[in-house]
């Protein structure tokens, strides 16, 4: 029956999602010069020499008076780039992390989501779709 196959499929799916975290190559989100984090959610398999997922968020402006925009970059890297910089006109936030898709946040140093939380969220979304009448 369909429900018995579902009972077997879900634990296998969850195990597969969590198992990816244990793989040798790191997987990070990547993007280049984007304005929105929605455009920065493309998973990329890093090379064996890459040990970090990096998020660099840069914004320019003068306080709340002049906003010159913001750019977001995400990538794999063998090293963690330099520290965050906050000058009067330019702010650059850099955040490094070392686990599966850990650079989901747009903030340089903002809240991070673990692979387990991502897997559970994906599983719940899948369940909601499959259980619809």
């Amino acid at each position: 029956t369909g429900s018995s196959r579902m009972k077997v499929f879900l634990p296998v799916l969850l195990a597969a999602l969590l198992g990816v975290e244990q793989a040798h190559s790191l997987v990070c989100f990547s993007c280049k010069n984007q304005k929105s984090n929605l455009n920065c959610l493309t998973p990329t398999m890093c090379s064996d020499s890459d040990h970090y997922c990096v998020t660099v968020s840069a914004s320019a402006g003068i306080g709340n008076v002049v906003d010159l925009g913001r750019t977001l970059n995400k990538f794999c890297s063998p090293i963690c780039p330099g520290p965050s910089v906050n000058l009067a006109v330019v702010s650059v936030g850099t955040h490094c992390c070392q686990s599966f898709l850990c650079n989901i946040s747009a903030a340089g140093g903002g809240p991070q989501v673990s692979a387990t939380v991502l897997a559970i969220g994906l599983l719940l979304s899948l369940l909601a779709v499959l259980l619809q009448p």
Side-chain angles (χ1 to χ4, degrees), residues 25-84:
S25 293
L26 188 61
V27 179
C28 302
F29 288 110
S30 66
C31 64
K32 200 169 195 176
N33 298 325
Q34 295 298 319
K35 303 289 183 202
S36 165
N37 195 44
L38 290 175
N39 298 325
C40 289
L41 299 177
T42 303
T44 301
M45 181 77 72
C46 303
S47 73
D48 288 340
S49 62
D50 291 327
H51 301 293
Y52 295 93
C53 295
V54 180
T55 301
V56 178
S57 176
S59 58
I62 303 170
N64 293 329
V65 181
V66 179
D67 183 5
L68 300 176
R70 171 181 154 175
T71 57
L72 192 59
N73 290 279
K74 295 183 180 186
F75 51 92
C76 304
S77 178
I79 60 162
C80 182
S84 298

